[in-house]
């Protein structure tokens, strides 16, 4: 999970269905999801770049633009990242 205060949005990675779900406001209302297909977990926020990084699949990081809530890039890795720093 990751919280982005300026958007009042909670991002939750779901390894079960490979999605990143978004919840907003004080009641955490569902606000959409980004489908990454497989094993989404390990979210990190890069506030300076306005990006989220999410480990997923058998070896990749999804780069998500916080402003648009869309995946903008993939960083390919040789294995699934179980932990990383931005």
């Amino acid at each position: 999970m990751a919280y982005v205060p300026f958007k009042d949005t909670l991002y939750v990675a779901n390894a079960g269905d490979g999605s990143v779900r978004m919840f907003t406001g004080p009641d955490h209302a569902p606000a959409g999801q980004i489908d990454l297909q497989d094993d989404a977990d390990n979210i990190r926020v890069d506030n300076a770049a306005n990006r989220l990084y999410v480990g997923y699949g058998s070896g990749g990081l999804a780069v998500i633009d916080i402003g648009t809530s869309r995946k903008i890039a993939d960083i390919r890795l040789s294995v699934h990242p179980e932990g990383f720093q931005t």
Side-chain angles (χ1 to χ4, degrees):
M1 291 189 293
Y3 179 69
V4 177
F6 83 89
K7 284 199 71 168
D8 194 17
T9 301
L10 178 67
Y11 296 84
V12 180
N14 183 335
D17 71 3
S19 70
V20 176
R21 297 180 186 180
M22 297 168 280
F23 302 90
T24 59
D27 61 350
H28 305 298
Q33 74 180 42
I34 302 162
D35 293 316
L36 300 178
Q37 300 176 351
D38 185 38
D39 198 15
D41 60 12
N42 297 312
I43 298 177
R44 301 292 184 269
V45 179
D46 182 346
N47 288 309
N50 203 33
R51 304 281 188 257
L52 289 176
Y53 295 87
V54 183
Y56 79 101
S58 59
L61 292 174
V63 182
I64 298 170
D65 180 80
I66 292 171
T68 63
S69 297
R70 290 189 161 32
K71 183 172 84 166
I72 58 170
D74 283 303
I75 300 170
R76 295 287 167 205
L77 303 171
S78 60
V79 297
H80 178 82
E82 287 302 331
F84 61 93
Q85 295 297 315
T86 57

